[in-house]
Amino acid sequence: MAEVLDLFGDPVPANWGGRGRPEHVANQQNRNRVSLLVALGWSNQRIAAALFITQPTLRKHYFSELKFKDVARDRLVAQVGVKLMDGVNAGNVSAIREFQKYLERNDLMLYGQTQRPAKAPPAETPAEKIGKKAAALAAAHQPDIGTPLGELMMRRQQAGTSH
């Protein structure tokens, strides 16, 4: 007899639609899902909800996947690294780029940093840039030495500061 599958590809229990709740059937696909969700840091309540089961059912059928909660993330990151390395060995250029990013993130993790170090500020801070209008206004208030108007402006400025 052919196995009947639901919308998500999970087998439908024989007593589906009968009295009582059908027993959950643990399969490899669900085990992989639980392992991935544990590695992503999901809580047991959230994982159980994603599988449409209760938390006691989750603990009963997926105990071995849940017990690796502490190292699940490291195992996932290692598996991603292995897959990237396979791509690098095959000569895949995008895999090489991603592997370089992977190495940088790993190095940051080794040294306890979460971000790349900020670049050191330049020794001299450049003068603040001003727009054309502001530069023209500043130049208008500076006398041109050697011209009759500039000489007049200089005398006025000196007379204004001497008071």
Side-chain angles (χ1 to χ4, degrees):
M1 187 167 138
E3 186 176 25
V4 179
L5 303 176
D6 68 5
L7 179 65
F8 299 106
D10 295 329
V12 176
N15 68 338
W16 185 260
R19 292 190 66 150
R21 175 178 244 170
E23 183 167 348
H24 176 73
V25 179
N27 57 26
Q28 190 58 44
Q29 185 179 13
N30 281 342
R31 291 187 189 289
N32 291 340
R33 285 180 189 160
V34 170
S35 295
L36 175 65
L37 297 177
V38 165
L40 293 176
W42 285 31
S43 66
N44 286 359
Q45 179 182 6
R46 194 170 172 198
I47 295 170
L51 294 175
F52 301 109
I53 58 176
T54 63
Q55 288 186 58
T57 302
L58 176 72
R59 287 190 297 269
K60 175 183 174 185
H61 291 286
Y62 302 101
F63 175 79
S64 59
E65 287 79 13
L66 295 173
K67 74 179 179 181
F68 291 112
K69 213 170 218 167
D70 295 337
V71 295
R73 182 62 176 229
D74 293 336
R75 291 173 68 189
L76 177 64
V77 170
Q79 186 176 7
V80 168
V82 168
K83 293 294 183 186
L84 284 172
M85 193 63 196
D86 290 344
V88 168
N89 290 335
N92 185 331
V93 176
S94 62
I96 293 170
R97 284 192 203 117
E98 286 301 315
F99 192 73
Q100 287 172 335
K101 292 177 189 175
Y102 177 85
L103 289 176
E104 287 177 15
R105 285 190 304 265
N106 186 64
D107 291 346
L108 290 174
M109 179 195 65
L110 285 176
Y111 298 113
Q113 299 173 346
T114 57
Q115 299 177 9
R116 291 182 182 167
K119 292 183 180 178
E124 293 181 20
T125 56
E128 184 179 326
K129 294 185 178 182
I130 57 173
K132 290 180 182 179
K133 291 181 182 178
L137 183 62
H141 291 288
Q142 297 297 323
D144 267 342
I145 299 174
T147 64
L149 182 59
E151 297 293 330
L152 181 61
M153 285 177 65
M154 234 163 83
R155 279 191 233 134
R156 288 240 170 161
Q157 284 180 352
Q158 288 173 353
T161 58
S162 63
H163 289 294

